[in-house]
Amino acid sequence: PESLTTAVNPLTIQHSYWPLDYNKRNLTGERPIRINPEDFDADKAALRLDGKKVFKLPARLWPMGACTIAFKFNPDKAVESRQALLLRNGWSSAFDFHMLPDNTLEVTRGEHKLTGKIELNRWNQVRLSYDGITARLFIDEKEVSRQKIPISITFGNCTAHIGGGKEGEGVSGLFKELAIQSAPTETLSDLHLPQVKPQAKVKSIK
């Protein structure tokens, strides 16, 4: 297959962004993630993953074609076995994110795999970009892995979630600024996140 460059109407690109900050508004056309106040960190500025609780994303959101998935992750300890960080339920042609015991982030789509090292006790900026031919994994905006993946779009009863444990304690740490876009990106600044403007004040007319 060949990769062709052409103009695309920006209105066709779908964006979703969850700061996962208790004091900031989700910027998404879908439903918000249901999070209780006690599930945030002490500053209420990031989602706390306790290794057990699962945070379900809105249904039918996870991208299957060309996309960018970005987030910040600050793990406070290593996992004892392969554990989900961002994972789908059901089936579809999409990406999954797991943490491995050696602090490797593993991103998979079917039989294809990308990996990169995550450091404990600090914020790691993660970005996956896929243009329909090549998937690239960036950590702190440094490309750490790439893999050619043929385009294939299949979709079943699929939803996605953040965190949760399987056969032991799951991923533990802080998670924030989850962004999903239905287009690839060359840099983090290419994530054209929507901006929320203050609501205008309307004076009543007598």
Side-chain angles (χ1 to χ4, degrees), residues 18-146:
W18 294 273
L20 298 174
D21 182 321
Y22 186 73
N23 299 305
K24 292 183 179 179
R25 177 179 170 186
N26 296 322
L27 307 179
T28 170
E30 288 268 1
R31 299 184 301 277
I33 304 173
R34 297 183 181 275
I35 304 174
N36 297 320
E38 59 269 22
D39 292 323
F40 292 90
D41 68 341
D43 297 325
K44 296 191 181 301
L47 179 65
R48 170 158 292 284
L49 304 180
D50 63 2
K52 299 177 182 178
K53 194 163 186 177
V54 172
F55 300 92
K56 188 176 180 181
L57 293 172
R60 302 184 183 277
L61 173 76
W62 214 229
M64 291 163 285
C67 66
T68 297
I69 302 169
F71 56 85
K72 288 184 178 179
F73 179 46
N74 182 352
D76 55 25
K77 62 181 178 180
V79 294
E80 295 181 357
S81 60
R82 184 174 183 263
Q83 295 290 346
L85 181 57
L86 279 169
L87 183 71
R88 296 163 301 135
N89 290 320
W91 57 269
S92 68
S93 301
F95 292 95
D96 290 322
F97 295 73
H98 287 85
M99 286 301 298
L100 304 182
D102 63 352
N103 298 322
T104 294
L105 175 67
E106 178 187 76
V107 184
T108 56
R109 184 174 189 239
E111 62 195 34
H112 303 282
K113 183 187 302 182
L114 300 94
T115 59
K117 286 290 186 179
I118 294 291
E119 293 187 23
L120 296 179
N121 299 308
R122 78 163 182 86
W123 286 109
N124 300 263
Q125 173 68 64
V126 176
R127 178 170 60 93
L128 174 79
S129 177
Y130 176 54
D131 63 5
I133 295 178
T134 303
R136 296 185 295 163
L137 178 63
F138 299 83
I139 296 179
D140 295 329
E141 284 306 280
K142 178 182 178 180
E143 184 176 331
V144 295
S145 183
R146 69 165 56 200

Side-chain angles (χ1 to χ4, degrees), residues 133-205:
I133 295 178
T134 303
R136 296 185 295 163
L137 178 63
F138 299 83
I139 296 179
D140 295 329
E141 284 306 280
K142 178 182 178 180
E143 184 176 331
V144 295
S145 183
R146 69 165 56 200
Q147 180 77 246
K148 285 192 175 298
I149 302 177
I151 192 71
S152 175
I153 299 178
T154 59
F155 187 83
N157 185 19
C158 178
T159 58
H161 64 261
I162 304 169
K166 182 180 180 182
E167 298 179 356
E169 187 172 358
V171 173
S172 175
L174 301 178
F175 186 94
K176 66 179 182 179
E177 298 180 19
L178 172 61
I180 301 173
Q181 176 176 292
S182 63
T185 51
E186 287 297 324
T187 67
L188 190 64
S189 61
D190 290 337
L191 261 176
H192 299 296
L193 300 175
Q195 299 295 319
V196 172
K197 296 181 180 180
Q199 294 184 359
K201 295 182 180 180
V202 179
K203 295 182 178 180
S204 61
I205 300 175

